[in-house]
Amino acid sequence: MRLRALLDTEALGLRLLGGEDELDRSVRGVMTTDLRDPSRYLSGGELVLTGLAWRRDAADSEPFVRILAQAQVAALAAGEAELGAVPDDLVVACARHRLPLFAVHESVAFATITEHVVRQVSGERAGDLAAVVDRHRRMMTSGPAGGGPEVVLDLLRSDLDLRAWVLSPTGRLIAGPKVSGPALPAEVCGQLAAEHLAATRAGRRAPHRVTLGTAPPRTFSLFPVRGGAHRPAPAGAGRSPQAARDLRETVLSDWLLAVEADAGDWAEERLDLLYGVTQLIAVERDRRDAARTVRRRLAQEVLELVQTGAAPAEIAARLRVAAPVLLPGLGAAPHWQVVVARVEWEDGQVQAGPVAQALLEEILVDPRSTGPEHSDRIAVAHTGDEAVALVPLPAVSSEHDGSEAGVLADALLASVRDPLTAGLDDDGRVTLGVSAAVHSAEGLRGALEEARHARRVAAARPGRVCAAGHQELASHVLLLPFVPDDVRRAFTARLLDPLRDYDRRHRAELIPTLEAFLDCDGSWTRCATRLHLHVNTLRYRVGRIEQLTGRDLSRLEDKLDFFLALRMS
């Protein structure tokens, strides 16, 4: 459909503010967002709807519009419900980038526009399916009280006799039909997520067909929700903007729609409807992501205070702000755990921090829970290549007696290991570290360091997905202060003195190289990049370290010995 057709539809309440010469652009989808940078969710051709919550001042409009123009969206529609008239700076920015701009009257719900676009693009090709889309419109215009994605799934069941579920990439059941019928077992959810991630990493076109079990077998068709949610372009149509993006940026966070049917012999109209349904479900994803913005900001502020050595009173004040958001209705101040995660790709070309942040937000949700709202009590920030989560725990006692029912490293990845391994394929790795619970702001800095040490222990283990908890540090890091001074000096001298002597004589920087190598978890590529060295030069230095000390840096025991020696020195 064309932009001009949207403008001519009075029920949508659109008013053109700029871009009259571009009204013949085609609209291939719709997206609602208030993110400052929604590029990861754009594939080109969308009508972008925004309530302008991302705009703090006039300077924010230019970068936001530039991102949309680079993603080749069709147009931007700004709601007037929050700020009234659309700001002039946004009008100017859209004109500069030749991006058509509409104002949406405050009486018109974004869900109404979403449904209209979905129906025009995919739902009007057959009369029997148009009725289903019309029922979807009535559900979406009722807002969150209308039942969310579960109602969409119920309509698929009642109108098309299709049973469908929305799953996270880790296999958590986000939404299922409310109508009677057997539930989808957690084991099946995990298998479907793993199959979906494996097919995505292999570059296979959606929907992905999967058959599970033998008595009797069950066949599912898997539709991606988000970046890959739009139907693939026809052969010869050219490469879309989304196709040019690295799928590893979103593969570990995108939802999927699992339909119990074989879509291989479906008519085009039915396939189009299912892709339209994924766009409706994506509206719920947008709401969840927008809700996470506040929690992410709180976590980022606390993390910056902790890392810069701010006074405990300042950190405590910020935590008092965070606690009601993360644990609404809680009378007493909570205790806290820190979880650190890192996602690493072998070529190092994907920015790892945001990927780890989105993944950690999902991993920390109880896999037995359903619904997107269960992630609302997790605050995750990212710094550099790692993500850091603040996990609030109800304060069950006033003494530090270990009675908190907190996050356990062993259980954290148990239910998500197989799907994540499939998504990581043969070039990615996830490592996590979990701290003990702390009871005040004074303990957060130590908890952060503890979680980071635990993650390094996990990184020294084999496997694509590894985690370690604070209990596993008790044998070394937590006991270091109690090691007698003469033992500490002898231990560090035996390992580090040969390297220090060599550095003094040859200016070889073996000690800094060793520190960087351990900090990079033995990754040759990342360590060489950090030190601005060629990998061969790094290998020579590590070889010299091993020759001088008689140790092997590929062995976990020797890595730990060097780690402890550096800590005690």
Side-chain angles (χ1 to χ4, degrees), residues 363-429:
I363 289 176
L364 288 172
V365 179
D366 186 341
R368 297 167 296 181
S369 64
T370 60
E373 73 281 355
H374 286 274
S375 62
D376 290 353
R377 293 183 175 182
I378 300 163
V380 185
H382 74 83
T383 174
D385 289 338
E386 72 177 10
V388 179
L390 292 175
V391 181
L393 307 173
V396 297
S397 68
S398 58
E399 300 295 330
H400 185 54
D401 57 5
S403 60
E404 299 87 349
V407 176
L408 299 177
D410 291 340
L412 194 58
L413 298 179
S415 62
V416 302
R417 192 181 304 275
D418 289 344
L420 288 182
T421 300
L424 294 165
D425 199 18
D426 60 354
D427 64 342
R429 197 155 188 254

Side-chain angles (χ1 to χ4, degrees), residues 5-125:
L6 288 175
L7 190 62
D8 293 339
T9 306
E10 294 182 2
L12 299 184
L14 296 177
R15 188 172 76 258
L16 184 65
L17 300 182
E20 184 174 0
D21 296 336
E22 305 291 335
L23 291 181
D24 287 328
R25 290 187 182 186
S26 295
V27 179
R28 297 196 294 271
V30 62
M31 174 191 175
T32 301
T33 185
D34 277 313
L35 299 174
R36 296 171 69 86
D37 181 4
S39 59
R40 63 185 295 190
Y41 305 125
L42 298 172
S43 60
E46 295 93 347
L47 171 67
V48 176
L49 307 174
T50 180
L52 301 176
W54 50 266
R55 182 185 179 275
R56 298 174 183 172
D57 54 46
D60 292 335
S61 292
E62 168 63 25
F64 180 78
V65 173
R66 182 171 63 252
I67 289 170
L68 300 187
Q70 291 173 347
Q72 301 182 22
V73 304
L76 174 65
E80 297 179 324
E82 294 295 330
L83 302 181
V86 176
D88 291 339
D89 49 90
L90 184 60
V91 177
V92 172
C94 287
R96 182 180 300 115
H97 290 277
R98 299 181 63 84
L99 181 66
L101 175 63
F102 299 98
V104 182
H105 193 269
E106 63 180 359
S107 64
V108 179
F110 281 177
T112 300
I113 301 174
T114 297
E115 183 279 332
H116 180 83
V117 173
V118 171
R119 182 175 59 191
Q120 294 298 318
V121 170
S122 64
E124 292 182 331
R125 295 188 180 182

Side-chain angles (χ1 to χ4, degrees), residues 223-251:
F223 295 79
V225 176
R226 273 296 183 222
H230 301 288
R231 188 168 180 189
R239 188 176 178 86
S240 69
Q242 180 65 24
R245 296 175 62 85
D246 195 320
L247 64 86
R248 294 174 298 178
E249 295 177 7
T250 59
V251 69

Side-chain angles (χ1 to χ4, degrees), residues 58-367:
D60 292 335
S61 292
E62 168 63 25
F64 180 78
V65 173
R66 182 171 63 252
I67 289 170
L68 300 187
Q70 291 173 347
Q72 301 182 22
V73 304
L76 174 65
E80 297 179 324
E82 294 295 330
L83 302 181
V86 176
D88 291 339
D89 49 90
L90 184 60
V91 177
V92 172
C94 287
R96 182 180 300 115
H97 290 277
R98 299 181 63 84
L99 181 66
L101 175 63
F102 299 98
V104 182
H105 193 269
E106 63 180 359
S107 64
V108 179
F110 281 177
T112 300
I113 301 174
T114 297
E115 183 279 332
H116 180 83
V117 173
V118 171
R119 182 175 59 191
Q120 294 298 318
V121 170
S122 64
E124 292 182 331
R125 295 188 180 182
D128 58 334
L129 298 182
V132 177
V133 178
D134 186 61
R135 295 184 66 183
H136 290 172
R137 177 194 61 77
R138 293 198 298 273
M139 182 279 296
M140 293 303 298
T141 54
S142 64
E150 288 85 359
V151 177
V152 181
L153 303 181
D154 282 343
L155 291 174
L156 287 177
R157 177 67 183 271
S158 62
D159 288 43
L160 296 180
D161 196 26
L162 292 175
R163 299 183 67 221
W165 300 264
V166 180
L167 306 178
S168 77
T170 62
R172 182 171 62 90
L173 181 63
I174 293 172
K178 293 182 178 179
V179 294
S180 60
L184 195 64
E187 180 182 0
V188 173
C189 291
Q191 290 176 318
L192 292 176
E195 293 285 348
H196 171 72
L197 289 172
T200 301
R201 289 304 312 272
R204 302 208 304 268
R205 289 169 63 94
H208 310 305
R209 181 181 180 275
V210 177
T211 300
L212 301 177
T214 57
R218 302 177 69 178
T219 299
F220 297 85
S221 296
L222 310 179
F223 295 79
V225 176
R226 273 296 183 222
H230 301 288
R231 188 168 180 189
R239 188 176 178 86
S240 69
Q242 180 65 24
R245 296 175 62 85
D246 195 320
L247 64 86
R248 294 174 298 178
E249 295 177 7
T250 59
V251 69
L252 299 180
S253 57
D254 287 348
W255 290 358
L256 66 137
L257 176 68
V259 182
E260 190 169 8
D262 187 350
D265 56 356
W266 281 4
E268 291 292 313
E269 291 84 358
R270 180 166 289 205
L271 280 173
D272 285 341
L273 174 64
L274 264 294
Y275 281 107
V277 168
T278 63
Q279 291 192 25
L280 291 175
I281 294 171
V283 173
E284 186 62 44
R285 178 67 183 270
D286 292 336
R287 291 171 179 159
R288 190 206 66 165
D289 286 342
R292 282 183 171 176
T293 302
V294 174
R295 294 188 295 278
R296 286 178 170 180
R297 185 179 301 124
L298 287 171
Q300 197 72 43
E301 291 173 352
V302 172
L303 178 61
E304 290 174 359
L305 290 174
V306 171
Q307 293 193 134
T308 56
E314 186 176 359
I315 300 174
R318 197 57 52 93
L319 287 176
R320 283 194 294 272
V321 173
V325 176
L326 300 176
L327 287 177
L330 186 70
H335 299 165
W336 302 90
Q337 271 184 292
V338 176
V339 181
V340 172
R342 178 170 287 183
V343 177
E344 298 170 292
W345 306 102
E346 287 186 0
D347 60 13
Q349 294 182 1
V350 177
Q351 187 178 1
V355 178
Q357 182 181 42
L359 179 60
L360 190 53
E361 286 171 335
E362 172 58 37
I363 289 176
L364 288 172
V365 179
D366 186 341

